[in-house]
């Protein structure tokens, strides 16, 4: 952390809001399209399966974190894999958060430009967003956590109330008996759905700062579960207002759903603008965490350069790389790569770490569970 910052301590409530905020920031805007492409009317069932998948993945992540309760993944990568391989893993993790930020910022800028500021250069929009990220994260993790804690409840309440108005236009005949086409389509759409739950892997970095580690699983699971309930609410709303065919054809189906709210259009000409205004603070909660996590991982890897310097150095890199994709189709390819890496971090990486712990303990290179006091 920065030199003048007290060591962070995440309370249970703060942990719930941190996980919830980092998950839903950008995922729900495009989620209905991705999940309905294969699952169609059974899309909401895929989200339930994704929640179960995330609970299992969370168990794996915390199982390895409890072996090194005072260390972040940056430290125990080196302990488990050695300096060279551990350094490569650390740089890869920092790169993952870097590209997570790049893709998220570009998507958010595209939404703002297409729906709100069509004549503003995207370079100006992205630059303004990055300066806000730098300012908000300048004093470390705890101000970011407090932004989540104070801003998310009101934002999500107003967003849910707004989207509930879309249900007034619902065609409930779009719902059908589950699994009419079997389980195959539901399972096939699971990877795309899990991508929208990415974010809670930040526990690799911030587990040492959790105040009540013995309840970390419960409170993180609450954040994931509430995110899943919100996703089901959004997907069902898109299903009964737009239908699967229209939803799949839309770039941002949730914004299209907002355009169907007639009661709001009696007072505001473009109801979707109100949705975007409510969504932008939530999107920032995700980008704040991933931007800070990039600098945090690099600072832990190369501690001679301060955390704030890593923020400043990463800012122009994010700006330049976010402008590289020519269009949304290219950006979709970047998003798929980030999602695939995130999927590895949720399952493959914890299993690799646990295997390494097991082997090192068999070789006597790590203390046994009884000596360490953990249960792995």
């Amino acid at each position: 952390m920065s030199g003048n910052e007290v060591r962070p301590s995440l309370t249970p409530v703060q942990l719930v809001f941190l996980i919830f905020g980092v998950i839903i920031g950008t995922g729900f805007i495009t989620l209905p399209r991705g999940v309905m492409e294969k699952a169609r009317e059974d899309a909401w069932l895929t989200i339930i399966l994704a929640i179960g998948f995330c609970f299992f993945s969370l168990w794996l992540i915390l199982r390895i974190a409890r072996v090194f309760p005072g260390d972040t993944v940056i430290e125990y990568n080196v302990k488990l894999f050695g300096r060279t391989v551990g350094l490569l893993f650390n740089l890869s993790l920092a790169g993952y958060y870097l590209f997570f930020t790049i893709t998220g910022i570009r998507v958010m800028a595209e939404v703002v430009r297409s729906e709100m500021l069509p004549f503003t250069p995207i370079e100006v929009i992205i630059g303004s967003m990055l300066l806000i990220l730098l300012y908000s994260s300048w004093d470390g993790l705890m101000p970011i956590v407090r932004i989540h804690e104070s801003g998310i409840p009101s934002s999500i309440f107003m967003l849910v109330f707004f989207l509930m108005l879309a249900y007034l236009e619902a065609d409930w005949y779009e719902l059908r008996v589950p699994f009419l086409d079997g389980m195959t389509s539901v399972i096939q759409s699971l990877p795309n759905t899990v991508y929208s739950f990415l974010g809670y892997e930040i526990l690799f970095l911030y587990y040492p700062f959790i105040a009540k580690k013995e309840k970390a699983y419960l409170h993180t699971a609450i954040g994931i579960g509430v995110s899943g309930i919100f996703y089901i609410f959004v997907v069902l709303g898109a299903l009964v207002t737009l239908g699967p065919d229209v939803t799949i054809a839309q770039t941002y189906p949730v914004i299209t759903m907002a355009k169907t709210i007639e009661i709001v259009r009696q007072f505001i000409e473009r109801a979707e603008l109100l949705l975007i205004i409510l969504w932008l603070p939530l999107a920032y909660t995700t980008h704040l965490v991933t931007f800070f996590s990039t600098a945090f991982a690099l600072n832990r890897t190369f501690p001679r350069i301060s955390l704030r310097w890593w923020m400043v150095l990463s800012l122009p890199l994010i700006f330049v790389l976010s402008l590289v994709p020519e269009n949304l189709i290219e950006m979709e390819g970047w998003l798929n790569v980030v999602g695939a890496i995130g999927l590895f971090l949720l399952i493959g990486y914890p299993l690799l770490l646990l295997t390494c712990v097991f082997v090192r303990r068999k070789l006597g290179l790590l203390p046994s569970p009884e000596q360490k006091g953990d249960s792995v």
Side-chain angles (χ1 to χ4, degrees):
M1 312 307 291
S2 60
N4 59 349
E5 185 186 359
V6 179
R7 179 180 173 87
S9 179
L10 300 176
T11 66
V13 173
Q14 289 173 336
L15 180 59
V16 170
F17 281 119
L18 180 65
I19 297 300
F20 178 76
V22 75
I23 288 176
I24 68 163
T26 55
F28 81 95
I29 287 289
T30 58
L31 173 65
R33 170 169 55 87
V35 72
M36 284 190 203
E37 281 180 345
K38 295 180 180 178
R40 296 186 66 82
E41 289 85 354
D42 290 337
W44 60 279
L45 296 170
T46 304
I47 298 176
I48 295 176
L49 291 180
I51 294 172
F53 175 92
C54 292
F55 285 167
F56 174 68
S57 166
L58 173 63
W59 179 78
L60 291 177
I61 292 173
L62 291 180
R63 196 164 176 82
I64 184 63
R66 286 174 181 140
V67 180
F68 307 97
D71 295 334
T72 70
V73 69
I74 304 300
E75 285 81 40
Y76 56 76
N77 269 341
V78 176
K79 293 179 180 179
L80 293 176
F81 299 113
R83 293 182 61 86
T84 303
V85 178
L87 176 63
L88 293 176
F89 273 115
N90 291 342
L91 292 177
S92 299
L93 188 66
Y96 164 74
Y97 285 115
L98 178 74
F99 278 90
F100 202 130
T101 308
I102 290 168
T103 53
I105 283 289
R106 178 60 185 268
V107 169
M108 187 165 67
E110 289 287 353
V111 172
V112 171
R113 184 174 68 166
S114 63
E115 300 293 339
M116 299 181 71
L117 304 172
F119 302 109
T120 303
I122 196 166
E123 294 86 353
V124 175
I125 298 174
I126 292 175
S128 302
M129 291 176 174
L130 290 178
L131 289 177
I132 294 173
L133 291 185
L134 180 64
Y135 175 78
S136 302
S137 58
W138 190 251
D139 286 328
L141 179 63
M142 291 313 297
I144 296 173
V145 173
R146 293 187 185 102
I147 290 173
H148 282 68
E149 188 179 20
S150 60
I152 285 179
S154 57
S155 295
I156 202 65
F157 173 79
M158 290 186 290
L159 185 61
V160 169
F161 178 78
F162 177 80
L163 292 177
M164 283 181 66
L165 298 176
Y167 278 82
L168 298 176
E169 313 295 330
D171 178 9
W172 295 101
Y173 289 103
E174 292 289 351
L175 294 178
R176 67 177 188 179
V177 177
F179 304 121
L180 280 181
D181 297 329
M183 284 284 294
T184 303
S185 61
V186 175
I187 295 175
Q188 285 177 341
S189 62
L190 186 59
N192 283 336
T193 309
V194 172
Y195 293 168
S196 295
F197 283 88
L198 291 177
Y200 64 92
E201 66 276 8
I202 60 171
L203 291 180
F204 278 125
L205 295 176
Y206 305 128
Y207 179 80
F209 310 125
I210 296 175
K212 296 184 178 180
K213 292 182 173 60
E214 70 279 3
K215 295 185 177 180
Y217 182 89
L218 172 62
H219 299 132
T220 307
I222 291 174
I224 295 171
V226 174
S227 301
I229 293 172
F230 178 72
Y231 280 162
I232 292 173
F233 169 75
V234 171
V235 168
L236 282 176
L239 176 62
V240 298
T241 56
L242 303 177
D245 293 323
V246 176
T247 299
I248 293 170
Q250 303 301 310
T251 304
Y252 307 113
V254 178
I255 294 177
T256 305
M257 182 173 68
K259 296 177 182 179
T260 68
I261 304 177
E262 292 294 337
I263 190 172
V264 176
R265 294 176 63 183
Q266 295 178 10
F267 304 95
I268 302 175
E269 183 178 355
R270 297 181 61 196
E272 68 272 16
L273 293 182
L274 183 57
L275 171 68
I276 295 172
I277 291 171
L278 295 174
W279 164 69
L280 284 176
L282 294 176
Y284 270 112
T285 61
T286 297
H287 307 326
L288 263 177
V289 175
T290 57
F291 173 72
F292 179 79
S293 297
T294 303
F296 181 81
L298 290 170
N299 173 249
R300 286 276 175 160
T301 306
F302 305 104
R304 292 188 178 183
I305 301 178
S306 71
L307 179 63
R308 288 177 173 175
W309 267 111
W310 279 119
M311 292 183 195
V312 173
L313 292 173
S314 62
L315 207 65
L317 185 61
I318 295 172
F319 178 79
V320 172
L321 291 177
S322 65
L323 297 174
V324 171
E326 294 290 337
N327 48 52
L328 286 174
I329 296 177
E330 289 189 18
M331 179 53 64
E332 191 78 18
W334 286 40
L335 287 168
N336 290 336
V337 173
V338 171
I341 296 172
L343 196 59
F344 170 74
L345 288 176
L346 296 185
I347 290 292
Y349 189 46
L351 288 174
L352 179 63
L353 290 169
L354 287 170
T355 301
C356 194
V357 168
F358 177 79
V359 171
R360 282 186 165 266
R361 280 180 170 166
K362 287 295 183 181
L363 296 175
L365 300 176
L366 277 179
S368 66
E370 292 78 12
Q371 293 171 308
K372 288 284 292 181
D374 59 62
S375 57
V376 179

